């Protein structure tokens, strides 16, 4: 590969190899970090999302880039409530990774160590102080014979659960809680726990899972709203939060209702409607009937036929004119009988 490079004399940004060769930052995250780093003071006071929109980094790409910059210490955020009750978010972007304590020092413009301390103040004109990420080549050749692992929290945390009888000893909930505790190091560096420390808190984490909390909800509850000054002791902080923010127990499940008794099956009885010349047959009654269904329907049909014949045998009714004439004649005959008397 041929290379042709001319160092610019103006309008350029100094980029550290630690950022350009960072194996865990996407291209969008690196471009956003370098672009904001090269802005003048009057243009850098805007929110990080506004700078990302000008670069065409929006939506999920921006959210992923911001999460990576926060996870690796390049971006820090503080959310405070102002005098009038309105919430204000303050952001800090650094071209080297900073711990929460170092970021808090830069935010408030103070140091936490006496002036005579040997460790130089953050941001001083010295060599490498806070940057701990080596380029890809140096990291792979000097620090570790293997490339950086990008496996998920479950795979990375499985080293503490290699014993086949561990899950039986702790219980499935406690074993899952230990996986969650060991995965916190990938979300916030200050919550790093050793295997023995996570084992000691696994029972408390398992109680959360027994009370209906998922592994993701437990991880969010332990990594959000951390103290502004940072976490000094990960074990003490996590034990305090697990104890004092533990959700209430789930209500006891209602006891199942007793199964209803199966319906009673009536015995077969002989139909009383069968005559002497008919074959005797039996049926299963629904209540207290003594005749089977076909016999009851046949008897009802016979009664309807008899009533029909009786109605047809009656004479036709007189028309209304004849009825009125007959009624008038009967009234006239009655009055004549009264006068003769």
């Amino acid at each position: 590969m041929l290379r042709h490079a001319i160092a610019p004399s103006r309008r350029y940004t100094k980029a550290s190899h630690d950022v350009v060769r960072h194996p865990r930052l996407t291209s969008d995250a690196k471009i956003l970090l370098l672009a904001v780093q090269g802005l003048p003071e009057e243009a850098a006071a805007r929110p990080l999302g506004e700078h990302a929109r000008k670069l065409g980094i929006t939506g999920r790409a921006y959210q992923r880039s911001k999460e990576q910059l926060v996870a690796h210490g390049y971006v820090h955020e503080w959310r405070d409530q102002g005098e009038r009750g309105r919430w204000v978010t303050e952001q800090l972007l650094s071209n080297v990774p900073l711990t929460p304590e170092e970021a808090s020092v830069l935010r408030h413009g103070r140091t936490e160590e006496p002036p005579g301390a040997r460790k130089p103040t953050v941001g001083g004109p010295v060599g490498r102080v806070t940057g701990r990420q080596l380029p890809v080549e140096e990291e792979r050749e000097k620090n570790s014979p293997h490339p950086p692992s990008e496996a998920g929290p479950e795979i990375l945390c499985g080293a503490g659960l290699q014993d086949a009888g561990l899950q039986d000893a702790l219980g499935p909930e406690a074993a899952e809680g230990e996986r969650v505790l060991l995965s916190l190091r990938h979300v916030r560096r200050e919550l790093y726990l050793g295997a023995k420390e996570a084992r000691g808190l696994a029972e408390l984490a398992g109680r959360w899972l027994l009370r209906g909390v998922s592994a993701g909800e437990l991880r969010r509850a332990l990594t959000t709203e951390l103290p502004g000054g940072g976490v000094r002791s990960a074990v003490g902080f996590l034990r305090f939060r697990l104890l004092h923010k533990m959700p209430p127990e789930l209500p006891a499940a209602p006891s199942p209702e007793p199964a209803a008794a199966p319906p009673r099956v009536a015995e077969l009885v002989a139909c009383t409607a069968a005559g002497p010349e008919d074959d005797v047959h039996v049926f299963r009654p629904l209540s207290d009937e003594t005749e089977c269904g076909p016999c009851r329907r046949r008897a009802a049909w016979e009664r309807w036929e008899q009533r029909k014949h009786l109605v047809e045998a009656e004479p036709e009714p007189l028309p209304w004119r004849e009825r009125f004439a007959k009624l008038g004649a009967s009234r006239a005959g009655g009055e004549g009988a009264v006068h003769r008397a």
Side-chain angles (χ1 to χ4, degrees), residues 25-43:
L25 291 180
T26 61
S27 299
D28 290 340
K30 296 176 182 178
I31 292 174
L32 180 59
L33 176 60
L34 297 178
V36 177
Q37 176 187 346
L39 291 175
E41 291 295 334
E42 58 273 9

Side-chain angles (χ1 to χ4, degrees), residues 119-186:
K119 182 179 178 180
T121 308
V122 177
V126 293
R128 191 183 193 118
V129 178
T130 57
R132 286 174 290 275
Q133 180 64 44
L134 295 176
V136 178
E137 295 81 359
E138 298 177 12
E139 181 182 33
R140 294 185 180 180
E141 296 176 2
K142 296 183 179 180
N143 293 351
S144 174
H146 303 287
S149 176
E150 293 291 344
E154 289 77 11
I155 299 177
L156 292 174
C157 300
L161 300 174
Q162 293 179 355
D163 188 6
L166 178 58
Q167 184 167 346
D168 297 336
L170 294 179
E173 289 78 14
E176 181 66 20
E178 183 179 359
R179 294 188 185 97
V180 174
L181 292 172
L182 289 174
S183 68
L184 299 182
R185 70 184 73 177
H186 305 290

Side-chain angles (χ1 to χ4, degrees), residues 265-289:
V265 180
E267 299 180 356
L268 295 174
V269 297
C271 180
T272 59
E277 63 277 0
D278 298 336
D279 295 335
V280 179
H281 56 277
V282 295
F283 72 100
R284 199 179 301 276
L286 297 177
S287 58
D288 55 352
E289 62 269 15

